[in-house]
Amino acid sequence: MNCECKTEFEAKLAERMKADLPEGHADYKAELDNYTLGISDAGLRLEMIIPYKGRVQVPKKAGGLKTQKIDTWIKAAFCPFCGVATAPVAKEGAI
Ligand SMILES: [Zn+2]
């Protein structure tokens, strides 16, 4: 079951941000990033993802090294705001 933190924090952030905008601003759109819909036995649930990015030098066939990007993510198992489980609990030994 999902918590309502994302929706609640987005509303609070929008209220705070709009207070600093000039009079007459329009079409305000913003949301917390790095959330995705996940499917589990319990149905659809909103899950937070944590990007994992970097680079590594890997050997080329012709010799030498080349840069390879690392660009993936992991799902947060718990909401960072309230601690409610947001993703199925990982099996022992998984990262
Ligand atoms: Zn929460």
Side-chain angles (χ1 to χ4, degrees):
M1 184 169 190
N2 283 337
C3 62
E4 298 298 324
C5 290
K6 182 179 184 293
T7 304
E8 292 172 6
F9 274 88
E10 285 173 342
K12 289 178 184 175
L13 286 166
E15 186 177 317
R16 186 175 296 173
M17 297 295 284
K18 287 178 182 177
D20 293 335
L21 292 173
E23 283 288 323
H25 70 273
D27 200 25
Y28 183 94
K29 292 180 182 172
E31 64 181 4
L32 290 172
D33 203 5
N34 297 332
Y35 281 86
T36 187
L37 281 177
I39 300 173
S40 71
D41 293 342
L44 284 177
R45 55 193 333 171
L46 197 59
E47 298 174 336
M48 183 180 195
I49 58 173
I50 301 167
Y52 182 78
K53 295 183 177 187
R55 61 182 169 80
V56 62
Q57 294 290 309
V58 295
K60 296 190 292 188
K61 287 182 183 174
L65 297 171
K66 65 179 181 180
T67 300
Q68 179 175 305
K69 288 184 179 179
I70 298 167
D71 189 2
T72 187
W73 46 268
I74 59 171
K75 289 180 185 177
F78 300 93
C79 172
F81 303 111
C82 72
V84 167
T86 58
V89 176
K91 295 177 182 173
E92 190 172 323
I95 57 170

